[in-house]
Amino acid sequence: MKKLALLGSGENFVSDAVVKYFDGKDVDICLLSNDEHCNFFLKSKEAKYNVKYLPEEKTFEYFSAHDFNLIALCDYRNDLSADILETGKFINIHPSLLPAFKGKDAMERAFLAGVKVSGVTIYSLNANESDNKILAQYPVLISNLTHFDEFKSDISNIECKLYPIVIDKLLKDEVFDFSDLVNQ
């Protein structure tokens, strides 16, 4: 059985999509949050997922003691130190086509910049940032008539479809291909 950790401290829509995707599959999922008051923690607890509070100062100790096949960040709002990132295989999801619009408020900045194509990037998260590798990207087109709320919804929908499939491929030691997204 594969062991997957979802680490979050913001919203829970992507983590919810991941948990539902793996329902009935041979994957043990643990949701971890450093904030007991965020939607990620509260909604996961309400849904009766295996969710635990993980204070930041205990993160290194926890991941050192638990052997996860993969740790996927889901709207995690703090930086992870190099020593934590060396305890396992970490991935992250970002609401832009990296390397464009790195950091916070990526969707807002992309939209206000007037770009016609943005999207979602899933990448490996390593102690040395230059070692981060893009694992998957998916574009979202922005027309002149697109309202920001539509764009935000399109990004969220892509995140919820793409992240579970890429996680599944990584757990199986396979490479993601766009046909995997189409064949779901």
Side-chain angles (χ1 to χ4, degrees):
M1 177 175 290
K2 299 289 184 172
K3 290 177 61 177
L4 171 65
L6 303 179
L7 185 59
S9 55
E11 296 300 322
N12 83 316
F13 63 91
V14 175
S15 59
D16 195 45
V18 172
V19 171
K20 287 178 180 174
Y21 177 90
F22 284 103
D23 186 37
K25 295 183 180 177
D26 201 22
V27 176
D28 181 29
I29 302 175
C30 181
L31 289 85
L32 304 162
S33 180
N34 62 336
D35 182 352
E36 293 177 290
H37 306 289
C38 69
N39 277 342
F40 177 89
F41 186 84
L42 296 173
K43 298 283 186 181
S44 298
K45 192 171 186 175
E46 185 179 295
K48 301 193 182 333
Y49 298 153
N50 178 18
V51 62
K52 297 177 185 173
Y53 172 62
L54 180 62
E56 287 179 57
E57 62 274 6
K58 301 279 186 183
T59 305
F60 175 77
E61 180 182 325
Y62 184 84
F63 285 128
S64 294
H66 292 80
D67 190 26
F68 290 103
N69 297 92
L70 184 65
I71 300 125
L73 278 63
C74 299
D75 198 18
Y76 189 68
R77 303 209 172 153
N78 289 345
D79 292 329
L80 295 171
S81 65
D83 60 333
I84 292 171
L85 293 173
E86 291 173 356
T87 63
K89 185 176 185 177
F90 288 79
I91 63 170
N92 198 7
I93 188 166
H94 187 73
S96 80
L97 293 176
L98 292 175
F101 303 104
K102 290 181 180 181
K104 295 180 182 182
D105 304 320
M107 282 187 287
E108 292 86 350
R109 290 185 290 119
F111 191 81
L112 293 173
V115 300
K116 299 304 174 203
V117 179
S118 188
V120 174
T121 302
I122 299 170
Y123 62 97
S124 63
L125 197 55
N126 296 290
N128 182 355
E129 194 173 313
S130 65
D131 291 338
N132 293 348
K133 302 282 187 259
I134 292 174
L135 304 170
Q137 289 185 309
Y138 197 87
V140 172
L141 303 178
I142 307 167
S143 78
N144 291 337
L145 301 175
T146 302
H147 188 274
F148 178 71
D149 289 339
E150 289 176 277
F151 171 58
K152 189 174 176 181
S153 177
D154 289 346
I155 292 286
S156 296
N157 288 335
I158 293 299
E159 287 178 328
C160 289
K161 290 176 185 169
L162 186 62
Y163 212 26
I165 295 168
V166 172
I167 289 170
D168 192 22
K169 289 295 184 178
L170 290 170
L171 288 173
K172 293 176 180 174
D173 238 4
E174 297 175 356
V175 176
F176 168 78
D177 183 86
F178 280 106
S179 65
D180 298 323
L181 188 60
V182 175
N183 294 330
Q184 287 298 313

